């Protein structure tokens, strides 16, 4: 403290001597006056340069210079400019950041900019942080603008869903019991079974130990009893032709499911046995073909395989005939949007109504390219590299401790029978 006081006294004495007795040295033409004038000019030039630098760098240079304890401002400025010279190659990127920063602040992203500058948000997470913040803001605006959403209460809605589920299960059980009772009421009494010809035939067949009648003959002898016992028959077109005689009692309704996979000649026999027909299918799906079921015994070694032409389906025939059609717009797709997203936009023009998924990170479907995979068009009709990749993936999953301790299973689908065997 004493040394600093002595220095101030000496400086004060020197200034008084200069101003009072030697003031002629301060004349503009005098040496000291010229030095003061030059110092002023240099300070103004420095101010101009610093202002230009601040404009280019999009930052106040005075705020960037940190003066440490005991350090002069000019020394701090010299140190700062030295650092700038050392990092000259980074100046362009810094100026670009300052420009983008000002644009972001002008767009209302000041809090995000501050979080980035303070290190709270890593550069690689800026886009995701913005997306998350924007979604939070957007959903808040939407909820506040809609009276239904604004007054929504999850607990009350959960109670309604639970009540509906309980009533729906009760109604389903009641319907099941009603149908069962209705069918049972049409059954003959036990003591009258022998008096009913068709039921008598069926009873005798059930009591036999051997030498049963062929199923086709038995069904032809009990047409009325069959429909009373089983009003609904689940059969393939081949089973219909195999077990039901052409003059079999006419069914009220014949329904084809997955009609895009049923050929016309397979369907005609079933259609002829019904009063009405409902054909359910999707013309966007693959048409019927013998490609997938063709066995390798059909080809001799060295023979070149020729792809089978697509076959006409009963669905195509009905659409071509102009029969009344109705499109189903709602689509259930498990819990993952990606299971139907591609088909919805590629084949259905985004017209399918799908329900929101509880999974925000949806990776239910992925395509993994096998670079060395080649399909053998000759006798093999297989892809060995692809088969090895599939087996390696299955083994990897089976060895995963998380999989080993779960009750999950793995399903593998191949393009044809030969690939399945491989």
């Amino acid at each position: 403290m004493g040394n600093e006081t002595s220095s101030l006294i000496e400086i004060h004495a020197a200034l008084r001597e200069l101003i009072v007795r030697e003031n002629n040295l301060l004349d503009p033409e005098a040496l000291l006056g010229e030095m003061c004038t030059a110092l002023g000019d240099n300070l103004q030039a420095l101010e101009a340069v610093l202002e230009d630098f601040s404009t280019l760098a999009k930052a106040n240079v005075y705020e960037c210079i940190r003066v440490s304890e005991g350090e002069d401002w000019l020394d701090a400025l010299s140190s700062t400019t030295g650092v700038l010279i050392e990092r000259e190659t980074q100046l362009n990127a810094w100026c670009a950041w300052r420009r983008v920063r000002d644009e972001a602040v002008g767009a209302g992203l000041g809090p995000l900019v501050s979080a980035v500058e303070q290190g709270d948000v890593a550069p690689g997470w800026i886009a995701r942080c913005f997306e998350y913040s924007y979604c939070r803001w957007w959903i808040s605006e939407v909820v506040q603008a809609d009276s239904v959403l604004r007054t929504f209460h999850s607990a009350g809605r959960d109670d309604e869903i639970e009540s509906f589920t309980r009533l729906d299960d009760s109604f389903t059980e009641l319907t099941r019991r009603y149908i069962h009772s209705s069918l049972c009421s049409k059954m003959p009494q036990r003591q009258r079974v022998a008096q009913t010809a068709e039921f008598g035939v069926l009873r005798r067949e059930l009591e036999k130990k051997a030498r049963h009648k062929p199923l086709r003959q038995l069904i032809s002898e009990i047409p009325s009893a069959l429909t009373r016992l089983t009003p609904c028959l689940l059969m393939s077109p081949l089973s219909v032709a195999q077990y039901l005689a052409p003059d079999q009692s006419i069914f009220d309704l014949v329904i084809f499911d997955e009609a895009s996979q049923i050929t016309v000649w397979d369907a005609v026999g079933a259609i002829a046995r019904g009063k009405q027909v409902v054909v359910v299918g999707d013309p966007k799906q693959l048409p019927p073909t013998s490609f997938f079921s063709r066995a390798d015994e059909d080809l001799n070694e060295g023979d070149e395989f020729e792809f089978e032409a697509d076959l006409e389906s009963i669905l195509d025939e009905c659409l071509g005939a102009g029969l009344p059609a109705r499109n189903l717009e709602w689509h259930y797709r498990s819990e993952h949007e990606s299971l139907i997203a591609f088909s919805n936009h590629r084949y259905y023009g985004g017209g399918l109504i799908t329900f929101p998924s509880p999974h925000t990170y949806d990776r239910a479907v992925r395509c993994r390219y096998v670079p060395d995979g080649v399909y053998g068009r000759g006798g093999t009709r297989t892809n060995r590299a692809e088969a090895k990749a599939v087996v390696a993936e299955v083994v990897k999953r089976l060895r995963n401790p998380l999989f080993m301790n779960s009750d999950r299973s793995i399903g593998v689908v191949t393009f044809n029978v030969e690939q399945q065997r491989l």
Side-chain angles (χ1 to χ4, degrees):
M1 184 66 180
N3 293 335
E4 294 179 359
T5 303
S6 300
S7 298
L8 290 174
I9 294 174
E10 292 175 357
I11 293 173
H12 184 267
L15 288 175
R16 183 175 59 183
E17 180 71 19
L18 176 64
I19 295 172
V20 176
R21 296 183 181 180
E22 305 293 340
N23 57 5
N24 59 320
L25 296 176
L26 298 176
D27 292 337
E29 294 80 8
L31 177 61
L32 188 57
E34 291 179 353
M35 294 178 63
C36 291
T37 302
L39 177 62
D41 294 340
N42 290 333
L43 286 176
Q44 291 182 358
L46 176 62
E47 291 283 349
V49 170
L50 293 178
E51 290 293 334
D52 292 341
F53 181 83
S54 299
T55 303
L56 293 174
K58 299 292 184 180
N60 191 335
V61 70
Y62 298 101
E63 297 177 358
C64 297
I65 298 175
R66 299 288 184 264
V67 181
S68 59
E69 184 178 358
E71 184 182 19
D72 186 80
W73 187 85
L74 288 176
D75 293 336
L77 176 60
S78 177
S79 175
T80 302
T81 53
V83 173
L84 291 176
I85 293 174
E86 293 176 1
R87 303 181 181 180
E88 181 180 2
T89 56
Q90 302 177 15
L91 281 178
N92 187 33
W94 171 255
C95 294
W97 155 249
R98 297 299 303 186
R99 182 178 65 256
V100 173
R101 176 193 183 281
D102 291 347
E103 293 176 358
V105 172
L109 301 179
L112 179 59
V113 171
S114 300
V116 173
E117 292 179 336
Q118 295 172 8
D120 297 333
V121 177
W125 287 81
I126 294 176
R128 296 191 66 179
C129 182
F130 166 76
E131 183 179 0
Y132 174 80
S133 301
Y134 178 81
C135 291
R136 287 288 302 269
W137 167 84
W138 179 84
I139 195 171
S140 177
E141 292 293 321
V142 171
V143 169
Q144 292 301 321
D146 189 288
S147 59
V148 176
L149 296 177
R150 189 171 59 251
T151 58
F152 176 81
H153 190 257
S154 59
R157 182 52 56 90
D158 290 342
D159 292 340
E160 293 178 358
I161 294 175
E162 183 179 354
S163 177
F164 173 82
T165 303
R166 185 171 58 255
L167 292 175
D168 186 59
D169 293 341
S170 177
F171 178 76
T172 301
E173 177 62 23
L174 182 61
T175 302
R176 184 184 298 113
R177 293 167 58 184
Y178 171 79
I179 294 175
H180 183 265
S181 300
S182 177
L183 295 177
C184 290
S185 65
K186 298 178 181 180
M187 297 296 102
Q189 298 180 1
R190 182 181 298 272
Q191 59 273 20
R192 297 185 58 186
V193 168
Q195 302 174 6
T196 306
E198 293 187 10
F199 281 97
V201 172
L202 181 60
R203 181 176 182 178
R204 286 193 296 273
E205 287 298 312
L206 293 175
E207 292 176 350
K208 286 183 179 179
K209 302 289 186 184
R211 301 177 63 84
H212 292 91
K213 294 182 179 181
L215 189 56
R216 182 184 178 93
Q217 179 183 347
L218 176 62
I219 292 177
S220 64
E221 293 180 6
I222 58 170
S224 299
L226 178 66
T227 54
R228 290 178 66 179
L229 288 171
T230 56
C232 298
L233 297 181
L234 180 63
M235 305 177 72
S236 66
L238 179 61
S239 298
V240 171
Q242 188 173 1
Y243 298 118
L244 300 182
D247 56 350
Q248 186 73 31
S249 298
I250 299 297
F251 290 91
D252 295 320
L253 180 64
V254 175
I255 301 176
F256 289 97
D257 191 19
E258 297 292 346
S260 63
Q261 298 297 309
I262 303 176
T263 57
V264 176
W265 49 84
D266 283 338
V268 168
I271 294 176
R273 291 170 170 83
K275 299 178 182 179
Q276 299 181 87
V277 62
V278 174
V279 181
V280 183
D282 186 356
K284 303 293 185 181
Q285 293 182 354
L286 290 175
T289 178
S290 60
F291 174 78
F292 297 98
S293 59
R294 186 169 182 179
D296 52 6
E297 294 82 18
D298 297 340
L299 293 174
N300 297 322
E301 186 176 357
D303 291 345
E304 189 69 20
F305 175 75
E306 294 182 1
F307 288 93
E308 297 285 345
D310 293 337
L311 307 177
E312 191 78 10
S313 70
I314 186 61
L315 178 63
D316 296 328
E317 189 69 24
C318 292
L319 292 174
L323 296 183
R326 176 172 295 181
N327 293 328
L328 302 180
E329 296 181 349
W330 286 24
H331 188 277
Y332 114 92
R333 38 134 191 90
S334 186
E335 297 181 342
H336 296 275
E337 179 69 23
S338 60
L339 294 177
I340 190 60
F342 174 80
S343 297
N344 188 16
H345 292 279
R346 178 63 177 82
Y347 298 113
Y348 305 105
L352 291 180
I353 300 174
T354 59
F355 301 97
S357 172
H359 300 279
T360 56
Y361 184 68
D362 188 354
R363 293 295 297 275
V365 178
R366 285 184 294 171
C367 177
R368 184 173 299 177
Y369 176 69
V370 180
D372 299 328
V374 177
Y375 174 72
R377 292 179 176 270
T380 63
R381 299 177 66 235
T382 60
N383 189 327
R384 180 165 293 274
E386 182 187 81
K388 289 184 176 180
V390 171
V391 172
E393 179 66 22
V394 171
V395 173
K396 174 184 175 182
R397 291 175 179 264
L398 290 176
R399 289 176 173 172
N400 189 330
L402 296 178
F403 186 90
M404 295 170 61
N405 297 326
S406 70
D407 57 354
R408 303 177 66 182
S409 60
I410 297 177
V412 179
V413 181
T414 61
F415 194 60
N416 53 31
V417 176
E418 289 76 16
Q419 186 75 359
Q420 174 191 358
R421 295 172 181 172
L422 177 64

